[in-house]
C-alpha cells in the first residue's frame, strides 16, 4: 500500500482550490456561449429574428433562431430587450502612411531685383504606388474610436495610389482585444482630382497592354457612370486641368507594363475580376474618372465621394458597374438649405452603396456614444432599414470578398457581433457589448 505524505496532500488540495477561483482569460473562457431572448438582426436571408437565441461554439456561430436547443454546459447570457447586429465593417478606413502628397514643381520669381524660388502650388496627390502593409505599423494607429463604435473589421486605405489591407479585431492572450492585419494584399486605391497626374494613374493603367502608347477608343458607351460620364466640352481620355501636359505621366510601353509589380492587379481590374477604389474630391473628378473608365468596358469601380458630389452626378452613375462608399449622413443640396437623403436616392436608382462610418471624422467622434445616429436619421428620412444595415455589414463584406467569414450572423461564420441596448436605428441607441469570436470585449 502506498502512503501519501500529509503535507503533500494539503498542497494538492490547496492547488485545486486556487485553480477553482482563478479567473479565466478570454481565450480560455467557456467554449460554448448562448445569448438568448434578443432581437437579432442577421443581415442575411433570415432577416430580423424576435426573441431568438444565438449559440456560439469555439468562436463561431453554431446555431441561430427561435428554437435553438441550449446545451447544459453552455454559458447563458440573457439579452431580453437587447438587439444584436453583426460586427460592422468599415470599407474605407483612412490611415496616414507618410506620402499621401507630393510637392509640385518650383518656380522662380524676380521681385525688386531679388530672385525667389517658391512652390508651384499646393502639394499634389501622390502618384507613386505603395503597399500600405509595407509602410504601416498597426500598433501606432488609434483604433479605439472605431472599436467603440462597433467596427470589428477594417479596410485600411491611404490617400494617393496604393494597395490596401484588411485588418480585424482579434483576441490576444496577453493584452485582450487587438487589431491585426488579416490580408496584407488588398485592393488598388487611386485618389483622383482634376489634376492630370492623378487622372493618368487611371488612364495609363486601364489601357490594355497591346494598346499602350497607341491610339485608344473614344467610345463612352461602356462607362460605369453611364452615357453622361463625359464633362461638357471635354474630349474622351483628356481631362481639363491646370497642370500642363508636360507634367503628365508618360504612357508605359508594353514591355515595361508587363514588368510592373502592379501589372497583374490592373489586369484583374480591366477584366472585371476585382474593382478599383477611386476616391474623388469633387463632382468634376467623378465625371473625369467616368470618361477614363468608359474605355475599359469590363472594369468596375468603387467610388468614394461625399453626398453632395454624388448628388451632382447622380444621373451619370451606372449601378451595374459602380458601387458608392459614402458617409452615413443627411446632406444639404449644394448652395441651399434643402436636405438630401443621398443613400435613398442611390437606392431608388438601383446603384449599390455602403457606409464608411469613419469618413468625416468630426461626426465619427461626436456620435461615438450613439454610433448609428447617422444611419438612424437616414432611416427616419426614408431609407429602408435593412438597406441601412446591409450598408454597414454584409455589403462591405461582399465588396471586400470576405463575406464567407464576416458581415452577417449565419451558422459557420465568425461570432463578431454588437449588442445594442435598444433598437440600433433609434437615434439614442448605445452599444452595450461587443463580442469578438464569441468573447466579450471591454473597452
Amino acid at each position: 500500500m502506498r502512503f501519501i505524505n500529509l503535507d503533500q496532500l494539503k498542497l494538492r488540495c490547496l492547488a485545486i482550490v486556487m485553480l477553482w477561483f482563478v479567473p479565466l482569460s478570454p481565450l480560455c473562457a467557456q467554449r460554448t456561449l448562448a445569448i438568448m431572448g434578443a432581437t437579432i438582426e442577421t443581415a442575411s436571408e433570415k432577416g430580423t429574428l424576435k426573441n431568438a437565441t444565438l449559440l456560439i461554439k469555439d468562436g463561431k456561430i453554431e446555431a441561430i433562431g427561435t428554437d435553438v436547443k441550449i446545451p447544459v454546459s453552455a454559458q447563458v447570457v440573457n439579452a431580453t430587450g437587447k438587439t444584436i447586429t453583426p460586427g460592422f465593417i468599415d470599407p474605407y478606413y483612412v490611415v496616414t502612411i507618410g506620402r499621401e502628397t507630393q510637392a509640385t514643381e518650383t518656380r522662380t520669381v524676380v521681385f525688386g531685383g531679388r530672385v525667389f524660388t517658391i512652390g508651384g502650388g499646393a502639394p499634389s496627390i501622390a502618384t507613386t504606388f505603395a503597399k500600405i502593409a509595407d509602410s504601416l505599423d498597426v500598433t501606432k494607429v488609434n483604433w479605439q474610436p472605431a472599436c467603440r463604435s462597433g467596427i470589428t473589421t477594417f479596410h485600411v486605405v491611404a490617400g494617393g495610389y496604393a494597395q490596401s489591407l484588411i485588418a480585424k479585431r482579434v483576441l490576444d492572450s496577453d493584452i485582450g482585444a487587438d487589431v491585426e492585419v488579416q490580408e496584407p494584399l488588398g485592393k488598388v486605391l487611386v485618389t483622383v482630382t482634376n489634376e492630370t497626374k492623378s487622372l493618368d494613374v487611371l488612364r495609363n493603367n486601364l489601357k490594355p497592354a497591346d494598346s499602350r502608347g497607341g491610339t485608344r477608343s473614344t467610345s463612352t458607351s461602356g462607362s460605369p457612370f453611364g452615357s453622361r460620364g463625359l464633362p461638357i466640352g471635354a474630349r474622351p481620355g483628356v481631362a481639363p486641368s491646370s497642370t500642363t501636359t508636360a507634367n503628365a505621366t508618360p504612357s508605359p510601353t508594353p514591355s515595361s507594363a508587363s514588368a510592373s509589380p502592379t501589372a497583374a492587379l490592373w489586369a484583374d481590374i480591366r477584366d472585371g475580376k476585382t474593382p478599383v477604389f477611386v476616391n474623388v474630391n469633387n463632382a468634376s473628378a467623378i465625371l473625369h474618372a467616368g470618361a477614363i473608365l468608359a474605355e475599359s468596358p469590363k472594369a468596375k469601380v468603387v467610388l468614394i465621394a461625399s453626398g453632395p458630389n454624388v448628388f451632382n452626378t447622380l444621373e451619370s452613375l451606372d449601378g451595374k458597374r459602380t458601387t458608392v462608399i459614402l458617409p452615413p449622413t443627411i446632406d444639404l443640396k449644394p448652395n441651399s438649405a434643402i436636405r438630401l437623403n443621398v443613400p435613398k436616392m442611390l437606392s431608388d436608382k438601383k446603384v449599390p452603396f455602403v457606409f464608411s462610418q469613419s469618413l468625416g471624422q468630426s461626426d465619427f467622434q461626436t456620435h461615438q456614444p450613439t454610433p448609428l445616429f447617422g444611419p438612424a436619421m437616414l432611416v427616419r428620412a426614408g431609407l429602408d432599414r435593412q438597406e441601412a444595415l446591409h450598408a454597414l455589414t454584409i455589403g462591405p463584406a461582399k465588396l471586400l470578398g470576405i463575406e464567407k467569414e464576416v458581415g452577417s450572423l449565419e451558422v459557420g461564420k465568425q461570432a463578431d457581433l454588437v449588442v445594442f441596448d435598444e433598437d440600433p436605428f433609434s437615434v439614442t441607441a448605445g452599444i452595450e457589448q461587443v463580442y469578438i469570436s464569441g468573447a466579450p470585449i471591454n473597452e
Side-chain angles (χ1 to χ4, degrees):
M1 180 180 293
R2 182 182 177 187
F3 293 93
I4 299 177
N5 183 284
L6 184 60
D7 291 335
Q8 291 180 339
L9 182 60
K10 289 179 178 179
L11 288 173
R12 290 181 182 180
C13 292
L14 179 61
I16 292 172
V17 172
M18 290 180 66
L19 285 173
W20 181 265
F21 287 103
V22 170
L24 297 177
S25 70
L27 291 181
C28 299
Q30 194 167 353
R31 303 297 290 179
T32 303
L33 173 69
I35 306 176
M36 58 181 297
T39 296
I40 302 178
E41 297 281 3
T42 67
S44 71
E45 292 181 355
K46 288 189 174 182
T48 304
L49 303 176
K50 301 284 188 179
N51 193 25
T53 297
L54 188 64
L55 187 65
I56 301 167
K57 184 177 181 180
D58 296 333
K60 293 194 174 183
I61 298 174
E62 178 82 0
I64 183 172
T66 56
D67 56 353
V68 174
K69 293 183 179 180
I70 301 176
V72 175
S73 59
Q75 176 188 353
V76 178
V77 175
N78 187 345
T80 302
K82 316 298 182 186
T83 300
I84 299 175
T85 71
F88 302 132
I89 299 171
D90 196 309
Y92 206 80
Y93 194 83
V94 182
V95 297
T96 300
I97 61 172
R99 65 103 188 99
E100 269 69 24
T101 59
Q102 297 172 328
T104 57
E105 296 180 357
T106 59
R107 54 197 176 102
T108 302
V109 176
V110 178
F111 182 77
R114 300 177 61 184
V115 178
F116 299 90
T117 300
I118 61 176
S124 61
I125 297 296
T127 55
T128 54
F129 181 77
K131 291 182 179 180
I132 297 177
D134 294 340
S135 309
L136 180 68
D137 182 352
V138 293
T139 64
K140 301 295 177 64
V141 178
N142 179 17
W143 304 100
Q144 288 305 308
C147 293
R148 289 171 182 159
S149 298
I151 298 173
T152 56
T153 304
F154 305 82
H155 183 219
V156 181
V157 303
Y161 177 30
Q163 185 176 23
S164 66
L165 62 84
I166 297 175
K168 187 179 180 299
R169 296 197 76 188
V170 296
L171 294 178
D172 187 283
S173 58
D174 296 323
I175 61 176
D178 197 7
V179 174
E180 290 184 356
V181 174
Q182 298 290 297
E183 175 52 69
L185 303 178
K187 306 296 184 179
V188 174
L189 315 167
V190 182
T191 301
V192 167
T193 67
N194 294 340
E195 190 180 47
T196 302
K197 284 185 177 180
S198 68
L199 290 164
D200 276 346
V201 173
L202 277 180
R203 180 179 294 114
N204 294 334
N205 284 293
L206 283 173
K207 296 178 193 173
D210 58 359
S211 69
R212 297 184 186 192
T215 59
R216 304 189 303 276
S217 168
T218 58
S219 171
T220 62
S221 60
S223 171
F225 302 148
S227 60
R228 302 186 186 182
L230 197 63
I232 296 175
R235 292 181 291 121
V238 180
S241 172
S242 58
T243 306
T244 62
T245 55
N247 293 332
T249 304
S251 300
T253 62
S255 59
S256 65
S258 61
S260 168
T262 63
L265 296 173
W266 283 101
D268 285 345
I269 291 171
R270 289 192 298 272
D271 291 340
K273 296 178 180 178
T274 187
V276 57
F277 283 62
V278 180
N279 190 348
V280 291
N281 65 352
N282 56 54
S284 178
I286 294 176
L287 297 177
H288 289 322
I292 294 170
L293 283 154
E295 300 180 15
S296 296
K298 295 181 181 179
K300 298 178 181 178
V301 60
V302 179
L303 195 66
I304 301 91
S306 68
N309 287 334
V310 172
F311 171 78
N312 280 336
T313 56
L314 188 62
E315 293 304 315
S316 69
L317 300 180
D318 177 5
K320 294 181 180 179
R321 296 178 60 193
T322 306
T323 300
V324 179
I325 297 178
L326 70 169
T329 58
I330 295 288
D331 293 295
L332 294 179
K333 185 176 180 179
N335 304 314
S336 78
I338 300 175
R339 295 185 178 184
L340 299 174
N341 190 337
V342 176
K344 176 67 166 58
M345 295 177 179
L346 289 170
S347 175
D348 292 343
K349 200 175 184 299
K350 307 300 182 185
V351 177
F353 65 91
V354 295
F355 292 141
S356 171
Q357 292 174 268
S358 63
L359 285 177
Q361 286 293 319
S362 59
D363 286 343
F364 188 49
Q365 298 284 349
T366 301
H367 297 304
Q368 194 170 313
T370 53
L372 294 192
F373 178 87
M377 292 299 293
L378 291 168
V379 170
R380 282 193 171 194
L383 179 64
D384 180 77
R385 176 194 180 90
Q386 288 301 315
E387 283 193 275
L389 180 66
H390 183 282
L392 293 161
T393 55
I394 192 63
K398 289 180 177 179
L399 195 62
L400 301 175
I402 55 176
E403 71 276 13
K404 292 183 180 180
E405 293 293 325
V406 294
S408 61
L409 300 179
E410 299 179 79
V411 173
K413 289 193 175 184
Q414 289 289 331
D416 295 347
L417 51 105
V418 183
V419 180
F420 283 87
D421 55 11
E422 58 179 305
D423 177 2
F425 292 106
S426 164
V427 294
T428 59
I431 292 177
E432 188 168 283
Q433 186 67 69
V434 176
Y435 288 82
I436 301 296
S437 297
I441 302 301
N442 298 314
E443 298 295 349

